[in-house]
Amino acid sequence: MVNRHHNPKIMPFVLFMVAFLVGADELLLGPILAPVGDDLGVAPERITLFITAYSLAIVFAAPFFGRLSDKIGRIQVILPACALFGLSSVATGLTDHFGLALATRVMTGLASAGMLPIAFALAGDQPGSKSMKQIVLVQAGLTLGMITSPGIGALLTAFHSWRFAFIALGCAAWLVTLLLLLVSRKSTPLASALTATASEPYLLVSDSLVSDLLVPDLLVPRQASFRTLLIPGALGALLAMGFGLGGGIGIFNLAGQHLRDTEGLTVGWTGMMYAGLGVVSVLGNMGTSRAMKRLGSGRAVMRSALMVCMFSSVCLFSPLGELSSEQQTSWWAITLLLVAWSLAGGVGSPALQNHISQLSERHRGALMALGMSMMHLGVAVWSGTAGFAYTQGAGWVAALSAVLFSVAIIALKPAERPMETSATE
């Protein structure tokens, strides 16, 4: 069962804000690790556990919320998730104990797992060209939140304290929750949810609300958990999320350090560089629809984008591609590589999200959530791997990026048979 929204003029903005909040939360801690650690009485490096706890919560919780949204409706999942996001963010800003703060970050991760993939699924539920436009808007909100949050966090911390930054984020989430209440219809009757799942051969549905909510964990045979992976093209798309998008982000995060080591870039200029490249990524998001019209599908767009990203990353990190800083063309070449990488990533990411959303209408929420889990898992795994590879030499990072992007490109080969549609499911 899928909740269609009522107000197409307001809902896209609400979904944009949901994605913006999640993106902002993911990178908010970057510049304020030291003040947070000082206030809570722990070393700044221990505060990075906030990021780890948050990401792991998303990895494990997103698939559950995705399947639940397919079953009981998108709004019924995203609405309480937004409210919980606000509560846990405010709690993070009010606590004085590191252990409690870590627990609130886990809760924030759980809330994010019920927000971002469901926002993408809601956008994907739209008919025709509206689907792609709204997916692009959600992706733009996520990107904009990620590139502006370090500056916002630093500014609010300087203005008052790091606590104010988290409390402000939580209050913003509550405002978005109110907007969701305004644009959503009344709760869908339970009978509708049961009807929506009655045709699912792997589900054993009970007559009570409690049983209905427990179906994803207790009443579904073990093989049903893997059923979405059997949808033609699903496994390849999810691998592309983990290896291509997640791996690309993990390696891209090393670009600044590499330029600091090879070109003497300062911390301030590194921050400005990432902000500028973030803007380029947003511009890429806006060009996704045009790229899809030209290449024919989100899968084809993402494959082309991955090729550009692989070329740019290998040239940037490969010893054979390194240019001497004494050459006047050095910075122009580096800038072009980074801009190409950011632009391709900006175009390809929403294209891949759209591709996943069109694989199956019935399992759209589960697929979008699995994709989000794969991306976060990829970022966690490949960031650490790339960091270790960099200690052995930049050439190893170039080799790693070539492998990761190649796997994603191969994984996105055309499905052997047509994608599922609601009519054939």
Side-chain angles (χ1 to χ4, degrees):
M1 181 202 58
V2 175
N3 287 50
R4 303 288 183 180
H5 57 65
H6 308 285
N7 195 331
K9 294 182 179 179
I10 299 178
M11 182 59 86
F13 170 75
V14 176
L15 297 182
F16 173 89
M17 288 304 302
V18 168
F20 179 86
L21 288 172
V22 176
D25 186 82
E26 290 198 5
L27 296 185
L28 182 68
L29 279 166
I32 60 174
L33 289 176
V36 174
D38 291 342
D39 201 2
L40 296 179
V42 297
E45 54 269 22
R46 289 193 65 192
I47 302 300
T48 57
L49 290 175
F50 281 11
I51 302 173
T52 302
Y54 172 90
S55 297
L56 289 178
I58 293 179
V59 168
F60 291 108
F64 168 79
F65 288 122
R67 285 183 293 154
L68 191 63
S69 76
D70 287 333
K71 185 172 179 54
I72 67 173
R74 312 278 190 236
I75 295 297
Q76 283 81 348
V77 174
I78 196 173
L79 191 59
C82 284
L84 178 61
F85 184 95
L87 179 63
S88 54
S89 295
V90 170
T92 300
L94 294 178
T95 185
D96 290 319
H97 191 275
F98 175 72
L100 289 177
L102 193 61
T104 62
R105 290 303 295 165
V106 172
M107 295 303 296
T108 307
L110 293 175
S112 296
M115 291 170 63
L116 186 59
I118 310 307
F120 274 113
L122 272 168
D125 289 336
Q126 303 312 301
S129 61
K130 288 184 178 180
S131 172
M132 186 66 250
K133 291 179 180 178
Q134 293 198 21
I135 286 177
V136 166
L137 195 61
V138 174
Q139 183 65 50
L142 177 65
T143 305
L144 192 62
M146 294 176 72
I147 65 175
T148 59
S149 61
I152 293 174
L155 182 64
L156 292 178
T157 300
F159 173 73
H160 192 273
S161 73
W162 67 270
R163 298 178 182 277
F164 185 68
F166 279 97
I167 292 173
L169 190 66
C171 291
W174 283 335
L175 289 177
V176 172
T177 304
L178 291 177
L179 286 176
L180 276 170
L181 282 171
L182 291 175
V183 301
S184 63
R185 65 175 114 181
K186 294 180 180 180
S187 299
T188 303
L190 175 60
S192 299
L194 294 176
T195 301
T197 58
S199 61
E200 188 67 71
Y202 288 90
L203 297 180
L204 305 175
V205 183
S206 173
D207 290 330
S208 68
L209 175 60
V210 174
S211 296
D212 185 65
L213 292 176
L214 292 178
V215 164
D217 281 334
L218 302 181
L219 301 179
V220 181
R222 182 172 297 179
Q223 63 266 32
S225 301
F226 300 97
R227 191 180 182 203
T228 52
L229 299 180
L230 300 180
I231 296 172
L235 182 59
L238 295 176
L239 287 175
M241 287 290 289
F243 284 84
L245 193 55
I249 292 173
I251 292 176
F252 189 76
N253 289 335
L254 279 175
Q257 183 62 45
H258 183 55
L259 292 182
R260 289 183 63 189
D261 293 340
T262 59
E263 305 293 336
L265 203 65
T266 64
V267 175
W269 277 106
T270 302
M272 292 179 64
M273 178 197 74
Y274 274 116
L277 294 175
V279 173
V280 172
S281 293
V282 174
L283 294 176
N285 296 158
M286 299 295 103
T288 301
S289 296
R290 181 174 297 182
M292 285 183 59
K293 290 179 181 179
R294 183 175 294 273
L295 296 180
S297 70
R299 182 193 59 80
V301 170
M302 185 56 177
R303 285 191 103 192
S304 299
L306 288 169
M307 293 176 188
V308 174
C309 292
M310 180 169 65
F311 175 81
S312 300
S313 60
V314 169
C315 288
L316 185 67
F317 286 100
S318 174
L320 297 177
E322 289 183 356
L323 296 173
S324 171
S325 59
E326 297 178 357
Q327 297 175 324
Q328 292 183 348
T329 58
S330 176
W331 274 108
W332 284 107
I334 291 172
T335 300
L336 286 175
L337 289 173
L338 290 172
V339 168
W341 192 349
S342 301
L343 190 64
V347 173
S349 180
L352 180 57
Q353 297 281 7
N354 181 73
H355 171 62
I356 294 174
S357 76
Q358 300 304 312
L359 289 174
S360 171
E361 181 178 346
R362 176 177 298 172
H363 303 290
R364 180 174 289 139
L367 285 170
M368 301 298 281
L370 281 170
M372 204 57 57
S373 291
M374 285 296 293
M375 186 193 77
H376 280 88
L377 183 61
V379 171
V381 171
W382 301 122
S383 291
T385 305
F388 173 76
Y390 189 71
T391 62
Q392 307 303 309
W396 287 100
V397 179
L400 177 64
S401 66
V403 170
L404 293 179
F405 287 125
S406 295
V407 170
I409 292 169
I410 295 172
L412 276 178
K413 65 180 182 180
E416 294 183 0
R417 59 187 177 89
M419 295 183 295
E420 286 187 315
T421 63
S422 57
T424 60
E425 288 177 313

